[in-house]
Amino acid sequence: AQTVTQSQPEMSVQEAETVTLSCTYDTSESNYYLFWYKQPPSRQMILVIRQEAYKQQNATENRFSVNFQKAAKSFSLKISDSQLGDTAMYFCAFMKHANSGGSNYKLTFGKGTLLTVNP
Amino acid sequence: EPEVTQTPSHQVTQMGQEVILRCVPISNHLYFYWYRQILGQKVEFLVSFYNNEISEKSEIFDDQFSVERPDGSNFTLKIRSTKLEDSAMYFCASIVGQGIGNTIYFGEGSWLTVV
């Protein structure tokens, strides 16, 4: 079974600064996906960024980028030029690749990191 | 952009009552899910549904829970006899399920309060 660990329950950052959220995971799979989801106060789950494990290049999406370290099983999220609208709970999630037996594309989530962006 | 829609957005029910939460997944998606998030806790997988049957379920998904896709578009979660601990946000999700670059899309959630 896969596990996802987010060791920072809460973080805060000043507007316009950069912040990094940590995530580690444990799996015996070699092929999988990793995700960061954002959950604002409205509680909707919004995909921030996705990384395929077979890709060595780190994913980027505008101000959001990841540092994917496959050997260390680490997947951190960097938010640059933080904005007030980035205030939310951030969840790291793992999904087995389709070619892995019994994938079902099920997501396993970490406990989340509450990020507050201060003006 | 296509989206997953859920109804109701919020429901309050008496303990012991039956509740049905409804979802309309994205039309060309093949896999459907229900996840649960108790307030302040992480999002937990309940059940996945593919080809008109349950493909996987968690320990949480006991005999009180059931899912069905009655008409080819709606995907429902039924809780037969609600308990206080069923109070949570319930998310429906769907995914195409083919090819690379798959993304799971979530609905906006149904907040269930059992009193």
Side-chain angles (χ1 to χ4, degrees), chain A residues 6 21 35-50 63-64 77 79 82-93 107 109 112-117, chain B residues 37 43 91 104 106-108:
Chain A
Q6 294 179 249
L21 309 183
F35 303 85
W36 280 97
Y37 279 88
K38 169 185 176 180
Q39 188 179 45
S42 66
R43 302 198 71 186
Q44 187 175 1
M45 295 292 287
I46 302 166
L47 177 67
V48 175
I49 200 164
R50 175 183 60 224
R63 297 183 295 107
F64 299 88
L77 174 69
I79 306 174
S82 297
Q83 300 175 0
L84 296 178
D86 295 333
T87 293
M89 181 72 88
Y90 286 81
F91 291 98
C92 179
L107 285 170
F109 287 88
T113 296
L114 179 61
L115 176 67
T116 302
V117 180
Chain B
Q37 185 184 30
V43 180
F91 290 101
I104 290 183
F106 284 83
E108 294 191 352

Side-chain angles (χ1 to χ4, degrees), chain A residues 33 35 37 39 42-45 47 50 52 54 91 95 97-98 102-107 109-111, chain B residues 31 33 35 37 39 42-43 45 48 55-56 89 91 95 97-104 106 108 111:
Chain A
Y33 300 100
F35 303 85
Y37 279 88
Q39 188 179 45
S42 66
R43 302 198 71 186
Q44 187 175 1
M45 295 292 287
L47 177 67
R50 175 183 60 224
E52 287 90 346
Y54 66 88
F91 291 98
M95 183 172 80
H97 192 274
S103 172
N104 283 320
Y105 305 97
K106 179 183 76 176
L107 285 170
F109 287 88
K111 289 187 176 181
Chain B
Y31 287 79
Y33 308 85
Y35 287 83
Q37 185 184 30
L39 187 63
K42 69 176 179 180
V43 180
F45 168 78
S48 60
S55 51
E56 186 176 351
M89 179 74 92
F91 290 101
I95 189 171
Q98 295 172 346
I100 62 172
N102 267 300
T103 294
I104 290 183
F106 284 83
E108 294 191 352
W111 180 237

Side-chain angles (χ1 to χ4, degrees), chain A residues 60-72:
Chain A
T60 63
E61 197 71 43
N62 300 315
R63 297 183 295 107
F64 299 88
S65 62
V66 298
N67 183 6
F68 173 49
Q69 301 289 328
K70 190 172 184 180

Side-chain angles (χ1 to χ4, degrees), chain A residues 32-35 37 47 50-52 93-99 102-109, chain B residues 2-5 23-35 45 47-52 55-56 69 73 75 91-107:
Chain A
Y32 47 86
Y33 300 100
L34 294 163
F35 303 85
Y37 279 88
L47 177 67
R50 175 183 60 224
Q51 174 81 41
E52 287 90 346
F94 173 100
M95 183 172 80
K96 287 202 293 189
H97 192 274
N99 293 333
S103 172
N104 283 320
Y105 305 97
K106 179 183 76 176
L107 285 170
T108 300
F109 287 88
Chain B
E3 58 182 23
V4 176
T5 57
C23 169
V24 179
I26 296 172
S27 61
N28 64 331
H29 285 189
L30 301 177
Y31 287 79
F32 316 115
Y33 308 85
W34 285 100
Y35 287 83
F45 168 78
V47 65
S48 60
F49 192 86
Y50 171 71
N51 200 26
N52 285 318
S55 51
E56 186 176 351
R69 197 153 186 252
S73 62
F75 178 52
F91 290 101
C92 176
S94 68
I95 189 171
V96 171
Q98 295 172 346
I100 62 172
N102 267 300
T103 294
I104 290 183
Y105 291 87
F106 284 83

